Amino acid sequence: MIKSYSVAMTKECDNTLRGHLLRKDRQEDLCFAIWHPSAGASRMSALINKLILPGSGDRSVHGNVSFNPQYIERAMSEANAAGGGLALLHSHPDGRGWQDMSRDDINAERGNAGRAFGATELPLVGLTMAGDGSWSARFWPRVAPRQYQREDCGTVRVVGDVMAMHFYEKLLPRPLVSKTQIRTVASWGVKRQAELARLRIGVVGGGSVGGMIAEALARTGIENVKVIDFDCIEEHNLDRLVYATRRDIGELKVDVLSRRLPESSTANNFKCDPIPAAVYEEVGFRAALDCDVLFSCVDRPWGRHVLNLIAYAHLIPVFDGGIAVKTKPRGDLLRADWKAHTCAPGRACMACLGQYSTGLVQTEREGLLDDPKYIEGLPSDHALKARENVFAFSMCCASFQMMQMLNYVLVPLDLPGPLPQMYHFVGGFMESTAKRACDEDCPFTALVGTGDNCGYNVLGKRTISPEMTPPTPEPQRPIANRLWRSICRIFN
């Protein structure tokens, strides 16, 4: 059930729109764009994918701005051909912050909502850029024959080297600072704390690293945390799970964690949603799409593959990390390394960074990674056999991932987000890294902002799964488009 709406775009797209919409003569301007749906469990997001800038004679600038018929016809045709929806973007040069709509704004968007829906089978999405670069947005879904209702978005997020969040205060008011947050707020200020606290944050994997990250989020004042994990607590987990005790053995990790986090939270309105599923299952995947950012705390290739897709196709930044421990034949420690990095458009993805092998994704889908005979047959130094870990290493890796997130979201001194980090315990040194982009042949760079229309089916079941469906140019409308059409039939 859709309860909220949002819009997302890349920083590259945002920069282009600033150059076009914020004119030097301070007159209003407009343009169209194609958006693709990203349907979460309770939130629908419009991902701005392609700009359709005006050509000669497409619009009239006269203090206010209006578009001519051929312009919207061209835009609707391009959106239909791409299988996406139509977005109308305009500027309020004298505005600051989230913008209300004038009567002319409402008439222009509501008056064309029917044409846009008829051409694309998706609602018209409207966006306004204020003079300070702030975004506001809304959907215009069909609620009855020839009737379209405005649904304001709660957020607009811009992702790239860093992230910018724009909040609609009426839907997501600034949280009050509690006495338990005094030291936290003193570090980066009330404004940044308000932006940080309102993020919907998902922790995928409730193990040793994920449990510590969830604890850190609760104590930092985050209001909404989702924990996605299907696993149960076992006795051999107790040396690493900061939130579990012997009496929790046999219970789902997400259930135990969601009971403990409210005791640690410093937010006035804290909510933890336990999602007892894998991120590659429909329930877990859709819950992840409800989030603004995600933490990757998984140790298998399939989960990382899905999160990699989400980071680029769905424009939800992912903070990933991992620990590798190797011992000598007699059991002495040979090496212990942990790393953390941020995955988002313009940055190297997990596959290009070597965090997982794409070749092993299908192996896991077929259930072989849970087959003892298959694991026993692997070389002794194979990565899939590297299960060793200890509490102290998990604690350090969790800290690295939290620092990646805080740097990326808070943007201290307006500096670009952090580079990948690698620490070597044996020798006690941090490996220097350089900024990396994806490899030239990386398939994920072509999927940026395509959302549910990306063409990849990465979902399945935890047991033996069907083969991954490759991208196909099939003409049928994506599931999110069909969902909107089904909703509208109710009112016919």
Side-chain angles (χ1 to χ4, degrees):
M1 179 181 178
I2 297 173
K3 297 181 180 178
S4 62
Y5 298 85
S6 75
V7 169
M9 68 182 74
T10 64
K11 183 62 177 176
E12 181 182 14
C13 179
D14 177 75
N15 287 338
T16 301
L17 287 167
R18 284 172 181 258
H20 171 69
L21 295 175
L22 301 182
R23 299 166 58 100
K24 292 182 179 180
D25 61 11
R26 303 197 61 77
Q27 295 189 82
E28 293 185 9
D29 211 333
L30 58 75
C31 69
F32 289 100
I34 298 170
W35 68 271
H36 290 298
S38 176
S42 63
R43 182 180 75 177
M44 175 61 76
S45 297
L47 311 179
I48 304 301
N49 176 257
K50 179 185 176 182
L51 302 181
I52 306 173
L53 298 175
S56 177
D58 278 342
R59 91 286 199 201
S60 300
V61 178
H62 39 74
N64 294 328
V65 63
S66 59
F67 56 82
N68 297 326
Q70 75 271 12
Y71 186 20
I72 189 171
E73 292 295 336
R74 173 166 66 90
M76 288 191 298
S77 177
E78 290 191 31
N80 177 276
L86 184 68
L88 172 57
L89 306 93
H90 75 281
S91 58
H92 286 176
D94 296 326
R96 294 293 181 270
W98 195 281
Q99 296 294 288
D100 288 328
M101 299 185 72
S102 68
R103 185 184 299 273
D104 288 341
D105 294 341
I106 294 172
N107 290 338
E109 292 185 9
R110 183 165 54 197
N112 287 284
R115 298 171 68 187
F117 183 81
T120 66
E121 299 180 0
L122 286 168
L124 177 71
V125 170
L127 290 96
T128 308
M129 175 178 271
D132 62 354
S134 299
W135 283 108
S136 50
R138 55 259 153 210
F139 279 62
W140 290 91
R142 185 184 183 192
V143 296
R146 296 182 298 281
Q147 291 186 31
Y148 298 85
Q149 179 176 294
R150 172 183 164 188
E151 295 286 352
D152 286 306
C153 295
T155 60
V156 177
R157 68 180 180 274
V158 178
V159 299
D161 262 358
V162 294
M163 184 170 75
M165 289 292 294
H166 306 273
F167 296 95
Y168 185 28
E169 301 281 342
K170 290 183 180 179
L171 295 180
L172 293 169
R174 294 191 180 203
L176 297 175
V177 175
S178 68
K179 291 182 179 179
T180 56
Q181 297 171 349
I182 291 175
R183 292 292 180 89
T184 301
V185 175
S187 298
W188 45 68
V190 173
K191 180 177 182 293
R192 289 301 192 194
Q193 178 65 17
E195 294 171 355
L196 186 64
R198 285 179 286 182
L199 291 175
R200 291 184 177 185
I201 300 183
V203 179
V204 183
S208 56
V209 174
M212 293 182 195
I213 288 174
E215 174 84 8
L217 294 173
R219 292 189 181 277
T220 303
I222 305 303
E223 292 187 317
N224 193 315
V225 176
K226 292 183 187 292
V227 184
I228 303 171
D229 195 315
F230 62 85
D231 209 359
C232 292
I233 296 171
E234 299 180 56
E235 187 174 9
H236 69 265
N237 300 142
L238 295 181
D239 67 339
R240 300 185 301 281
L241 297 185
V242 70
Y243 59 89
T245 64
R246 285 180 174 81
R247 66 175 178 270
D248 300 315
I249 293 174
E251 288 200 61
L252 285 165
K253 291 177 179 177
V254 294
D255 287 344
V256 176
L257 190 50
S258 65
R259 289 201 304 266
R260 300 293 165 81
L261 288 182
E263 299 174 5
S264 305
S265 173
T266 62
N268 293 314
N269 298 299
F270 178 74
K271 180 182 179 183
C272 178
D273 295 318
I275 312 296
V279 74
Y280 49 74
E281 296 178 296
E282 184 75 22
V283 172
F285 181 74
R286 295 299 166 187
L289 298 187
D290 280 341
C291 299
D292 299 313
V293 299
L294 292 165
F295 282 92
S296 168
C297 306
V298 298
D299 58 3
R300 289 280 189 92
W302 192 0
R304 277 202 167 102
H305 186 60
V306 173
L307 289 167
N308 211 35
L309 179 81
I310 290 175
Y312 297 89
H314 293 269
L315 303 184
I316 299 175
V318 174
F319 308 102
D320 179 58
I323 304 169
V325 179
K326 191 172 183 179
T327 57
K328 296 179 181 180
R330 292 185 179 182
D332 294 332
L333 180 64
L334 179 62
R335 66 180 179 88
D337 310 311
W338 45 88
K339 62 168 62 174
H341 41 260
T342 301
C343 297
R347 293 167 168 262
C349 74
M350 282 186 258
C352 292
L353 287 170
Q355 276 299 89
Y356 74 96
S357 168
T358 54
L360 289 175
V361 174
Q362 184 59 27
T363 302
E364 184 179 353
R365 291 183 67 127
E366 293 172 357
L368 293 176
L369 299 194
D370 294 308
D371 183 349
K373 293 182 179 180
Y374 176 83
I375 298 297
E376 289 171 6
L378 295 173
S380 59
D381 60 348
H382 196 282
L384 292 176
K385 286 191 171 182
R387 292 293 196 184
E388 308 92 343
N389 190 13
V390 295
F391 184 86
F393 297 163
S394 296
M395 183 168 56
C396 290
C397 187
S399 175
F400 273 39
Q401 287 181 247
M402 275 295 296
M403 294 305 103
Q404 289 273 327
M405 185 276 289
L406 290 173
N407 225 314
Y408 186 74
V409 173
L410 296 175
V411 199
L413 298 180
D414 294 323
L415 294 172
L419 297 172
Q421 296 171 294
M422 168 79 87
Y423 183 79
H424 299 278
F425 176 70
V426 177
F429 66 97
M430 184 82 76
E431 183 178 321
S432 60
T433 57
K435 182 178 179 181
R436 273 199 59 188
C438 281
D439 300 336
E440 289 185 5
D441 59 349
C442 176
F444 292 98
T445 56
L447 303 179
V448 171
T450 55
D452 291 335
N453 293 0
C454 70
Y456 273 103
N457 176 18
V458 295
L459 305 186
K461 299 180 179 179
R462 275 172 268 157
T463 54
I464 295 177
S465 306
E467 293 186 358
M468 177 185 287
T469 304
T472 55
E474 57 183 51
Q476 73 174 36
R477 293 290 181 184
I479 185 172
N481 303 48
R482 298 198 298 273
L483 173 64
W484 278 107
R485 193 165 62 246
S486 298
I487 292 172
C488 292
R489 284 200 187 103
I490 296 173
F491 299 98
N492 288 338

